[in-house]
Amino acid sequence: MSERRSTRPRRAGGARRAQILDRVVEVLSERGYVATRFADVAQASGVAVSTLQGYFGSREDMLVEALQRATSKEVEALAELAAGFEDPWQRLAALVDRGLSTPVKTWRLLMEFWTAAAHDDELRAHAGELAEQYRRPFVEAVRRGVDSGSFSPRFDVAALVDVLVATMDGLLYPLVLDHRASAGPDYRDVVLAQLAFALGSDT
Amino acid sequence: MSERRSTRPRRAGGARRAQILDRVVEVLSERGYVATRFADVAQASGVAVSTLQGYFGSREDMLVEALQRATSKEVEALAELAAGFEDPWQRLAALVDRGLSTPVKTWRLLMEFWTAAAHDDELRAHAGELAEQYRRPFVEAVRRGVDSGSFSPRFDVAALVDVLVATMDGLLYPLVLDHRASAGPDYRDVVLAQLAFALGSDT
Amino acid sequence: MSERRSTRPRRAGGARRAQILDRVVEVLSERGYVATRFADVAQASGVAVSTLQGYFGSREDMLVEALQRATSKEVEALAELAAGFEDPWQRLAALVDRGLSTPVKTWRLLMEFWTAAAHDDELRAHAGELAEQYRRPFVEAVRRGVDSGSFSPRFDVAALVDVLVATMDGLLYPLVLDHRASAGPDYRDVVLAQLAFALGSDT
Amino acid sequence: MSERRSTRPRRAGGARRAQILDRVVEVLSERGYVATRFADVAQASGVAVSTLQGYFGSREDMLVEALQRATSKEVEALAELAAGFEDPWQRLAALVDRGLSTPVKTWRLLMEFWTAAAHDDELRAHAGELAEQYRRPFVEAVRRGVDSGSFSPRFDVAALVDVLVATMDGLLYPLVLDHRASAGPDYRDVVLAQLAFALGSDT
DNA sequence: AATGAATGAGCGTTCATTCAT
DNA sequence: AATGAATGAACGCTCATTCAT
């Protein structure tokens, strides 16, 4: 199924490489994983196709690297955001807000990533790690709330967080398919209230 | 982006056509939308490539028809299931159970469908209709509960159902990517409890 | 180069066959020799593709038979026309008029016929016979004029007639390519005057 | 009917391109317009099919470019030839000689060109321009003769030249279909004498 | 390091033909 | 006799990849 990964030595590239990867992410978001060709990236980034191959080896390698880079950045931003809130509930609310206000372009990319991962072992492994990292700030916040006594969860914390993240992810589709600008305001209240309920939050 | 749809007259095919479409669905679930070639379906169904073209016109037409057929069947089954329960809450619980026990193969297909729809107007329109149909039994059940006085929703019913469906959809990914057999038992309690809370259910 | 001729027994067909051949000629005139498919003729004549194959064997056989039929009819009409004029000059003028007023559709067919004949031995042989038959009334008329003393040709009669026919044929192209209705009136005087000169006609 | 022209960027190719176009012309002359496939040209020119597509974009583009090149070269050669004769009649005779001694291969190509043009608008437009350019040296020569008083045309000059060119073109067919080497000697006297007559030439 | 040129593998599609009814 | 269903061969085309500057 998945095209063979190249074992050819990949050139360093440095800053140029990062710039190009950002363009790959944009093309990926617009055209989708399978429809993104070297030629598209070459046009979008202004470098020759063979130069791209010099940098990344194969088409698959280029796309995977772009996907990993983009998703990792998102996860890191989330962790950073969490650190800015002391109160467990405020931290959770900030994380949910952040998730629900994710730009459509990023949602599209994630959707492509997941669908591609369903057909590629290496990508799937990376998806698992990312999911774990993504859940961590949520779990962390819940644990702090439990420790401080402000949360008395009615359910297993892991399951509870899984459901929360799933809800946010699931709101992706109407967004991507309906061209709405954001999933934010409409569902925020419902999601947060259900979360507060599940946590037995005193807030 | 999307390939041109054929306008050529398609052969009837009858029962044979339905059989083949079922195989198309399977191949689609395994290989994904973009990677499903005529040759794959030909091999899986035991008919010649040109026969497939005789039936469906073009590759795109074949895939779209298979997708529409599979998704429509799923939605119809859901509506039928709902009719079997009188009590609003039992009906909702049955719908949620059904959704969470959807076979991985069907989830994979749906994921492919949505991702493809993000790049194809006609497919996107069909996705919108299906989503509407899928939500309908849920909304219906909630309305009955409100009318009978057993539900006192804390939120707008439409938003509430959207979030519920999103949660079920969002549970799709860990399932598809981790090869778990089903999302069912682990999250059922959390989802139903949150739902009962949002509905102000007396159950 | 040319597709294999079928050796399959061809069905009789009778009047039906003739009707279909007339439709073949029309399609041939519009689409050209190589672009005329069974499907086109089937649509134009209202019979199934496989029925056409039952009648004619192969595609090539069908086209060749249509071409031979159409061209033969034209030549026969010419011979018949000639018989209607006693005076040699009037007969020649009538033949030239007839040639120059040939409908564009027929010219197109001839053009296709000749071009196809350049790539097919059997067709080329038939083209030679037809050319000979076509020239015959002209040569005949000239001979009568010579015998009666009204023509004193300045050149070999065969060459003279060849040039005359070539001139009429050559006027085919601007006609076919420019969509003019007829080559007739514009060039008639020039052609006839040059002919009269070459013949040393006393008219 | 006519295949879509590619709008893809075509590679330069330089001298290589010209060499290949010459082979295209040869293949075209042998196989005909519609029967000339990429594979034939690839074999004849020793380059890969995909290389041809890199150069020319599509099959149609390749053939049209070859046809335009070959016909343009012929027309230019004619104009150059004309310039070598001062005396109007000698110039006309030279043009006629040149036309009648056109190699069969070139005639075949022209025939294919015209027949293809009958089914393709762009090709037809080009054919019209070429015809105009081809006629120009003839018209020019006639005008000079009229101005110098050596010609007193009995007919409209344009019509007269049209008929002359038509005669030469019409001599194409027996040549192409009979595999004769040249139309030259047999008909030269007739054509020139008729021309002199039509021009009222004092030669 | 960066690139243009050249190429082969793979795919969708067309269409004449075979076969069973 | 007439037809629809099924099929394989052939072709144009896309695109990732290799190679020589």
Side-chain angles (χ1 to χ4, degrees), chain D residues 128-168:
Chain D
E129 295 168 17
L130 282 174
E132 176 56 30
Q133 291 172 34
Y134 191 89
R135 262 191 298 267
R136 194 165 301 151
F138 290 90
V139 172
E140 203 59 26
V142 171
R143 296 233 183 275
R144 290 172 66 111
V146 172
D147 291 347
S148 72
S150 54
F151 297 163
S152 312
R154 300 172 193 268
F155 309 98
D156 174 66
V157 170
L160 184 157
V161 168
D162 282 354
V163 169
L164 170 62
V165 171
T167 303
M168 295 191 296

Side-chain angles (χ1 to χ4, degrees), chain B residues 6-24:
Chain B
S6 170
T7 57
R8 257 193 313 156
R10 313 172 183 182
R11 243 177 264 158
R16 193 77 189 280
R17 186 191 192 86
Q19 284 176 357
I20 293 178
L21 280 173
D22 284 340
R23 315 300 304 203
V24 175

Side-chain angles (χ1 to χ4, degrees), chain C residues 60-174:
Chain C
E60 281 261 294
D61 287 344
M62 177 181 72
L63 298 184
V64 168
E65 185 169 341
L67 245 18
Q68 293 183 335
R69 178 183 152 89
T71 48
S72 293
K73 271 166 59 176
E74 187 65 21
V75 165
E76 285 164 16
L78 201 73
E80 194 175 349
L81 172 74
F85 294 85
E86 270 305 308
D87 178 63
W89 177 251
Q90 284 187 352
R91 178 178 289 198
L92 273 177
L95 291 172
V96 169
D97 281 340
R98 166 88 192 197
L100 292 182
S101 60
T102 301
V104 172
K105 182 185 286 188
T106 304
W107 273 140
R108 291 177 71 103
L109 191 73
L110 263 178
M111 186 181 71
E112 293 293 340
F113 175 51
W114 284 330
T115 303
H119 302 289
D120 182 297
D121 286 342
E122 187 178 333
L123 227 38
R124 180 160 51 236
H126 184 64
E129 295 167 18
L130 283 175
E132 177 53 31
Q133 291 173 35
Y134 191 88
R135 263 191 299 265
R136 195 167 300 150
F138 290 90
V139 172
E140 205 59 28
V142 171
R143 296 236 182 274
R144 291 171 66 111
V146 171
D147 290 349
S148 71
S150 55
F151 298 162
S152 313
R154 298 172 194 268
F155 310 97
D156 174 66
V157 169
L160 184 158
V161 169
D162 282 355
V163 170
L164 171 61
V165 171
T167 302
M168 294 192 297
D169 289 346
L171 288 169
L172 167 167
Y173 282 112

Side-chain angles (χ1 to χ4, degrees), chain C residues 1 28-35 108 111-112 114-119 121 124 127-128 135 155-156 158-160 162-163 165-174 176-180 186-187 189-191 193-195 197-198, chain D residues 1 28-35 108 111-112 114-119 121 124 127-128 135 155-156 158-160 162-163 165-174 176-180 186-187 189-191 193-195 197-198:
Chain C
M1 154 104 14
L28 222 28
S29 168
E30 287 165 17
R31 299 189 53 94
Y33 187 87
V34 287
R108 291 177 71 103
M111 186 181 71
E112 293 293 340
W114 284 330
T115 303
H119 302 289
D121 286 342
R124 180 160 51 236
R135 263 191 299 265
F155 310 97
D156 174 66
L160 184 158
D162 282 355
V163 170
V165 171
T167 302
M168 294 192 297
D169 289 346
L171 288 169
L172 167 167
Y173 282 112
V176 167
L177 298 181
D178 294 341
H179 291 307
R180 274 189 259 160
D186 298 355
Y187 306 113
D189 290 350
V190 182
V191 173
Q194 287 186 336
L195 176 59
F197 163 75
Chain D
M1 156 102 18
L28 221 29
S29 167
E30 286 165 16
R31 299 188 54 94
Y33 187 86
V34 287
R108 290 177 71 102
M111 186 181 72
E112 294 293 340
W114 285 330
T115 303
H119 302 290
D121 286 342
R124 181 160 50 236
R135 262 191 298 267
F155 309 98
D156 174 66
L160 184 157
D162 282 354
V163 169
V165 171
T167 303
M168 295 191 296
D169 288 346
L171 289 169
L172 167 167
Y173 282 111
V176 167
L177 298 180
D178 295 339
H179 291 309
R180 272 187 260 160
D186 298 358
Y187 306 111
D189 290 349
V190 183
V191 173
Q194 287 186 334
L195 176 59
F197 163 73

